[in-house]
Amino acid sequence: MVAIVIGGLGFNARTTTQAIDELPPEVTLSFVPYADNLQAWIDRARAAGHEVLLELPMEPFDPDADDTGPQTLLAAASSQQNVTRLEQLLSRGAGYFGVTNYQGARFATSAQASAPVVEALRRRGLVFVSSGIGQRTALSVEAQRAGLPVTAADRLIDVRQEADAIDDQLLNLEALALQNHSAIGAGFAYPVTIAQVGRWAGDIASRGYQLAPASAVLNARAARR
């Protein structure tokens, strides 16, 4: 079972439309909370059969290099401040089954900052799919402690925005799925990423793999624990 999450959606209308309309419905789509017409995009994605994640901007190690916007969850902020920001972000749309991080390498190191956030997510019945911040972080530990369903992407498939490099990462995902029963890949809504994922997904079943939503992989992993 292999899942793909394509993120960064909602800002660029052309690539967002391409991802919704051209990728198989089993591909999970992740939307930026600051996007204009966010709810309309989510509704369109769900109508096309995609499940949806909402991206939570979290503090990176280098905030000057990575602008995460005005509602960023901060490692040194108070619980009240982070939960207030979280509620504002979550209120921007509806219809997502869970959240993922946008950046967040610094935030994920703080158990104190993470605990109230994951508890608030658990109360809402959401899940957390992390990407690019490591498999075992203070954030993931606090999520498990709170009973928040959590899993992590195994590979970022488009660190290099080149067709051959993306193809290699997709093959790596297949190898991981063969070894571990499942794999999750995460990518950004670059035109080359959308094109390569669409091409790869077209014949994945013939190679003995099942393309599945991220929620299906999360549930399968939870059942195996």
Side-chain angles (χ1 to χ4, degrees):
M1 188 183 295
V2 183
I4 299 292
V5 178
I6 297 296
L9 294 166
F11 273 155
N12 185 301
R14 181 177 179 181
T15 55
T16 302
T17 299
Q18 184 183 8
I20 292 172
D21 293 347
E22 298 181 16
L23 290 174
E26 293 85 0
V27 173
T28 298
L29 303 182
S30 176
F31 287 84
V32 179
Y34 304 129
D36 292 333
N37 303 313
L38 175 63
Q39 190 60 56
W41 284 123
I42 291 175
D43 291 345
R44 182 170 174 177
R46 294 188 68 195
H50 299 280
E51 67 177 17
V52 170
L53 291 166
L54 185 71
E55 296 175 13
L56 298 182
M58 297 178 177
E59 185 180 6
F61 278 121
D62 187 357
D64 293 329
D66 301 296
D67 183 8
T68 49
Q71 299 300 323
T72 300
L73 306 180
L74 302 172
S78 68
S79 298
Q80 182 177 0
Q81 182 180 11
N82 276 332
V83 171
T84 296
R85 289 186 173 190
L86 174 68
E87 296 294 342
Q88 290 171 342
L89 291 164
L90 296 178
S91 69
R92 292 186 57 83
Y96 46 86
F97 80 100
V99 298
T100 186
N101 57 291
Y102 173 65
Q103 300 293 339
R106 180 181 296 277
F107 182 84
T109 65
S110 173
Q112 183 176 356
S114 299
V117 169
V118 299
E119 177 60 29
L121 293 172
R122 184 196 64 78
R123 288 197 302 268
R124 281 178 168 256
L126 298 170
V127 307
F128 180 64
V129 181
S130 70
S131 173
I133 55 174
Q135 297 276 356
R136 186 75 173 172
T137 63
L139 176 58
S140 66
V141 170
E142 291 303 315
Q144 291 171 359
R145 183 173 294 153
L148 175 70
V150 59
T151 196
D154 300 287
R155 288 284 188 278
L156 298 178
I157 63 173
D158 53 4
V159 174
R160 289 171 54 200
Q161 298 168 42
E162 301 167 6
D164 288 347
I166 293 169
D167 288 345
D168 287 344
Q169 290 302 319
L170 292 169
L171 289 176
N172 285 338
L173 284 178
E174 292 185 8
L176 284 172
L178 190 62
Q179 179 180 350
N180 301 324
H181 305 280
S182 66
I184 300 177
F188 192 79
Y190 302 119
V192 65
T193 303
I194 296 171
Q196 295 312 113
V197 168
R199 187 173 295 114
W200 164 82
D203 61 358
I204 186 175
S206 68
R207 298 191 299 279
Y209 297 91
Q210 177 188 356
L211 184 63
S215 62
V217 173
L218 186 153
N219 291 336
R221 288 176 172 179
R224 292 184 61 84
R225 291 195 184 111

